[in-house]
């Protein structure tokens, strides 16, 4: 009897221990799933219509094309034969298995700020997703950029890995927002201008960047070019639903909202909003707008009244959550009109979210507006209703039209 009781006790203890281990592993995997959402891993590593994390669509960089890799646990074509050290090295140091140097299109300069616990959670999650056999040739850059060892020099010049350290003088919410934005969410990767070498211009943090023929606008607290007119609640609404009383997400940002930020916790959304409201912009005085009687403005107004005013209304106020507000809008007042030209020529479809499943769209006007007409209407929009920004030229429109035709 005593032996039976002892054996039962040992078995019970083993079951409790195993249960505790299973529970801990489940919690870690579940936490890793959320960290993958925060980092928006799917945006790059899942191509439209493709299997989750099995490799993404080509990324156009100033140096050539890169194909995001297969990060499923497939042993032949994914990361199934990687160790934790390999995975950690890729995120924290930009060096993968076998010393393979990564390009910063995989935003390891931001991911290096992530905590060890968050990286461990991500590893646990990616070990448990479905393995997919899909061989990806990531490096499609021309010589000499195709030689990965050039990244040794790039890292020496542009990369100083360091884990995020909280600012003691700031609130816990502010620090959480700073960690998310500068670490897993890697917002600066798109919203910060790049140098000729493709590194962030840290002295222009979050003041807008041009990637893949889209402009990620200024998201500092600048009142003219940035989101200084947005309250924290407006930022939260935009990230959670894809729309607020000022704007509707389009292009790559619509994908970010659809794949990532709509699934963030309210606490994390509020933390990022708190942090963003504390980021000062350039503070430069707005330029003087074009005179309303300028021939370019008169031509642009005629096009706007005929083609645009039905949705955006004559005052440029649009319709909240349906047609974006053009008056005093950051993307309208930005120095770079790339996104505006692209949307007029290509049209736009807002991203779908659980909160707003019905999405508005803008048709393409490439077929019935010439380069000069597009330039004039955008110049009119950029210099009306309190806006002030450089005029758009027909040459800029022509260049975009050629890019979209490729």
């Amino acid at each position: 009897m005593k032996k039976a009781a002892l054996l039962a006790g040992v078995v019970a203890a083993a079951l409790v221990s195993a249960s505790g281990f299973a529970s801990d592993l489940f919690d870690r995997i579940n936490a890793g799933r959320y960290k993958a959402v925060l980092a928006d891993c799917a945006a790059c590593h899942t191509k439209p219509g493709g299997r989750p994390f099995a490799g993404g669509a080509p990324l156009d960089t100033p140096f050539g094309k890169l194909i995001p890799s297969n990060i499923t646990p497939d042993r032949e074509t994914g990361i199934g034969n990687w160790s934790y050290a390999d995975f950690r090295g890729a995120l924290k140091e930009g060096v993968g298995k076998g010393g393979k140097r990564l390009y910063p299109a995989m935003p390891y300069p931001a991911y290096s700020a992530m905590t060890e616990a968050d990286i461990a959670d991500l590893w646990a999650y990616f070990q448990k997703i479905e393995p997919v056999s899909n061989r990806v040739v990531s490096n499609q850059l021309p010589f000499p950029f195709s030689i990965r060892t050039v990244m040794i020099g790039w890292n020496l010049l542009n990369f100083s890995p360091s884990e995020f350290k909280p600012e003691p003088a700031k609130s816990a919410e502010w620090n959480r927002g700073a960690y998310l934005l500068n670490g897993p969410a890697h917002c600066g990767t798109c919203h910060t201008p790049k140098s000729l070498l493709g590194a962030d211009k840290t002295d222009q943090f979050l003041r807008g960047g041009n990637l893949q023929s889209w402009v990620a606008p200024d998201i500092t607290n600048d009142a003219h070019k940035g989101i200084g007119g947005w309250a924290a609640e407006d930022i939260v609404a935009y990230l959670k639903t894809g729309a607020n009383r000022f704007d509707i997400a389009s292009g790559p940002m619509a994908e970010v909202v659809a794949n990532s930020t709509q699934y963030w916790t309210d606490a994390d959304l509020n933390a990022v909003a708190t942090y963003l409201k504390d980021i000062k912009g350039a503070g430069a005085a707005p330029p003087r707008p074009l005179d309303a009687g300028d021939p370019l403005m008169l031509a642009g107004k005629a096009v706007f009244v005929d083609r645009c005013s039905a949705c955006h209304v004559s005052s440029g106020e649009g319709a909240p959550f349906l047609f974006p507000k053009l008056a005093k809008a950051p993307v309208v007042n930005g120095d770079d009109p790339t996104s505006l030209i692209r949307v007029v020529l290509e049209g736009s479809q807002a991203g779908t979210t659980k909160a707003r499943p019905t999405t508005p769209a803008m048709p393409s006007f490439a077929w019935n507006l010439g380069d000069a007409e597009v330039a004039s209407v955008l110049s009119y929009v950029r210099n009306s209703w309190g806006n002030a920004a450089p005029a758009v030229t027909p040459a800029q429109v022509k260049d975009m039209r050629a890019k979209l035709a490729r």
Side-chain angles (χ1 to χ4, degrees):
M1 290 291 292
K2 288 183 179 180
K3 287 184 178 179
L6 180 61
L7 180 60
V10 171
V11 171
L15 289 173
V16 169
S17 176
S19 175
F21 175 78
S23 175
D24 179 69
L25 182 59
F26 172 81
D27 289 344
R28 174 142 279 182
I29 293 169
N30 200 41
R33 179 184 291 109
Y34 182 62
K35 306 298 166 50
V37 169
L38 289 177
D40 200 9
C41 302
C44 287
H45 292 280
T46 303
K47 67 180 179 182
R51 303 281 291 280
F53 305 114
L59 296 175
D60 289 314
T61 78
F63 310 99
K65 289 185 184 295
L66 289 168
I67 312 294
S69 60
N70 180 349
I71 56 172
T72 73
D74 180 70
R75 294 190 63 83
E76 298 298 324
T77 65
I79 61 171
N81 62 351
W82 283 33
S83 67
Y84 174 70
D86 295 330
F87 183 79
R88 181 191 178 280
L91 270 67
K92 297 284 277 188
E93 300 166 11
V95 181
K97 184 176 178 60
K100 183 179 181 179
R101 295 275 169 176
L102 305 182
Y103 295 99
M106 200 294 279
Y108 64 85
Y111 290 160
S112 71
M114 293 176 66
T115 64
E116 297 290 345
D118 280 357
I119 291 175
D121 289 343
L122 272 175
W123 172 250
Y125 171 63
F126 279 113
Q127 291 302 290
K128 296 301 179 183
I129 65 175
E130 181 183 3
V132 179
S133 178
N134 182 43
R135 192 169 299 281
V136 175
V137 180
S138 298
N139 188 353
Q140 300 192 14
L141 301 178
F143 180 83
F145 306 115
S146 58
I147 302 173
R148 290 182 180 269
T149 52
V150 302
M151 292 310 301
I152 296 174
W154 190 94
N155 288 337
L156 286 172
L157 291 172
N158 302 298
F159 177 47
S160 299
S162 60
E163 189 169 310
F164 175 78
K165 293 180 175 58
E167 289 283 348
K170 297 293 187 178
S171 68
E173 184 175 56
W174 185 98
N175 275 296
R176 176 63 176 172
Y179 172 72
L180 291 171
L181 190 144
N182 292 289
H186 60 281
C187 303
T189 301
C190 290
H191 288 276
T192 297
K194 297 290 185 286
S195 70
L196 290 176
L197 293 177
D200 289 350
K201 294 182 178 180
T202 54
D203 61 334
Q204 298 177 46
F205 181 55
L206 300 183
R207 295 182 192 171
N210 188 318
L211 294 171
Q212 293 193 275
S213 297
W214 285 100
V215 171
D218 187 318
I219 54 172
T220 70
N221 211 25
D222 188 285
H224 185 66
K225 296 179 183 178
I227 55 175
W230 295 18
E233 293 79 9
D234 297 317
I235 298 173
V236 170
Y238 182 85
L239 294 175
K240 192 174 186 67
T241 72
N244 62 17
R245 60 196 173 112
F246 295 102
D247 203 359
I248 297 173
S250 62
M253 192 61 207
E255 297 174 10
V256 171
V257 174
N259 295 325
S260 179
T261 58
Q262 70 162 317
Y263 301 111
W264 289 22
T265 64
D266 288 345
D268 281 347
L269 290 171
N270 279 294
V272 163
T274 296
Y275 177 67
L276 281 175
K277 290 301 295 179
D278 197 40
I279 303 298
K280 293 180 172 55
R288 181 176 177 179
L290 295 177
D291 187 84
D294 187 293
L296 185 63
M297 291 288 283
L298 294 174
K301 182 177 182 179
V303 176
F304 183 87
V305 170
D306 185 48
R307 307 297 176 86
C308 314
S309 61
C311 294
H312 294 287
V313 306
S314 59
S315 62
E317 289 296 319
F321 306 104
L322 188 59
F323 303 119
K325 175 184 170 79
L326 300 178
K328 299 181 180 178
V331 71
V332 172
N333 282 305
D335 294 329
D336 188 341
T338 295
S339 288
L340 298 174
I341 299 171
R342 180 166 187 161
V343 167
V344 171
L345 292 178
E346 190 176 47
S348 177
Q349 177 78 51
T352 298
T353 61
K354 290 184 177 180
R356 295 191 178 277
T358 303
T359 63
M362 176 172 165
S364 164
F365 288 94
W367 67 280
N368 63 357
L369 288 180
D371 295 345
E373 290 173 305
V374 174
S376 67
V377 72
L378 287 177
S379 297
Y380 171 74
V381 167
R382 282 161 64 81
N383 289 278
S384 300
W385 321 302
N387 294 334
V392 177
T393 68
Q396 289 174 304
V397 180
K398 182 179 180 181
D399 287 345
M400 177 58 70
R401 203 184 289 268
K403 288 179 181 177
L404 295 177
R406 291 172 188 164

